[in-house]
Amino acid sequence: EISDGCEPVAIISADKLRDYTEGPAETTKIASALMNTKTGQFLIAQEAWDCIWKELIEHKKGPRIMADRPGYDELYYGYNFSAEMLLGMIDELNRLITKYGSAEWNTKPTANRLVEILVEHLALIEAELEEVNTGARRLTKKDFLGPRERTKRRDLRSQEETDGESERKDHSKLFIGLEQKRFEIKRREMKQAASMRDKEGNSSEAMSDADFIKTLSNALSQIRTLEAAGGMDRETASDLAERVRMVAMDANVVSVKGSEEK
């Protein structure tokens, strides 16, 4: 049976009950509420209330509670809420404070007690919000971020990846330009060297041809290395390799003509 209607007879704070300063007073509130019910006749003497609280909370005797779980402090204090989540809590707390602080309720001790506890929680959450907004409390992906904050972080990460890709592309353009210039110069130099060998007809021609082949081989190797490192795309690498082959063919034609003339 419900006496005096369905209405709370006392408001108890679990946080205060476990607090070493306010815990005994909160225990007295529980016992006083029970004293006025049918179970009041089974309560122990008031002189023992503080002793019971001390044994259970300070000395941790009796049944295990959530605070006895391994790693409880790390779990309880080791996560944060985003500004989005905290603002939602603040809105709800303000709604409850307004409701139970109104004229309809503020004549009831239980309502006044509830408002008192809610105001304390509101102050703590507003302080936490300030820490999040100023960066004093840094959020990680393991925290309670909320849908908007997660979307914001996902978009930011995507933008950073896009910017990084653009940087890599710009970087590759620089390398491509340098490589193209270098190979054009090499091509002219090799043509000139081939012409000089044809005119001079000296005995060092075979050695010069070997150096020429080695240079072409090194050029092709550098192109493939640059492509593998991501500094050049496949199409550009193929184009440069084709240029090197063209140089080789041109030089070979010059060499053959020189031999025929001799």
Side-chain angles (χ1 to χ4, degrees), residues 155-220:
D155 292 343
L156 180 61
R157 185 167 58 251
S158 177
Q159 183 62 43
E160 289 175 349
E161 291 174 355
T162 301
D163 292 343
E165 182 64 26
S166 298
E167 274 187 35
R168 285 192 292 274
K169 287 181 179 178
D170 292 340
H171 193 58
S172 68
K173 289 179 181 178
L174 174 62
F175 274 102
I176 291 169
L178 292 174
E179 287 294 322
Q180 287 175 337
K181 289 181 180 179
R182 189 168 70 86
F183 281 119
E184 289 295 336
I185 294 172
K186 283 286 185 182
R187 182 180 181 182
R188 289 196 298 269
E189 291 176 349
M190 286 185 288
K191 281 186 175 181
Q192 292 172 1
S195 297
M196 291 178 64
R197 285 199 305 272
D198 180 47
K199 292 178 181 179
E200 294 173 358
N202 53 40
S203 60
S204 64
E205 182 176 349
M207 188 65 179
S208 298
D209 286 343
D211 291 341
F212 174 67
I213 293 171
K214 182 178 180 181
T215 299
L216 291 180
S217 177
N218 288 339
L220 286 171

Side-chain angles (χ1 to χ4, degrees), residues 45-59:
Q46 184 173 354
E47 292 79 9
W49 293 352
D50 287 352
C51 179
I52 293 297
W53 174 87
K54 183 175 293 187
E55 291 298 311
L56 291 175
I57 303 300
E58 288 190 357
H59 299 162

Side-chain angles (χ1 to χ4, degrees), residues 7-19 21-33 53 93 96-102 105-122:
E7 185 175 320
V9 295
I11 302 295
I12 305 299
S13 168
D15 291 331
K16 291 182 181 295
L17 181 62
R18 295 176 53 243
D19 184 84
T21 301
E22 300 185 79
E26 206 68 15
T27 300
T28 299
K29 288 184 175 66
I30 297 174
S32 298
W53 174 87
L93 285 171
L96 293 171
I97 291 170
T98 300
K99 175 180 178 179
Y100 292 107
S102 65
W105 292 91
N106 61 17
T107 57
K108 299 178 179 291
T110 51
N112 292 332
R113 167 70 167 161
L114 177 61
V115 169
E116 174 190 330
I117 294 173
L118 293 178
V119 168
E120 291 178 2
H121 279 293
L122 178 61

Side-chain angles (χ1 to χ4, degrees), residues 68-80:
D68 297 323
R69 295 176 180 175
Y72 172 79
D73 287 341
E74 182 179 349
L75 291 173
Y76 188 76
Y77 299 105
Y79 62 83
N80 300 304

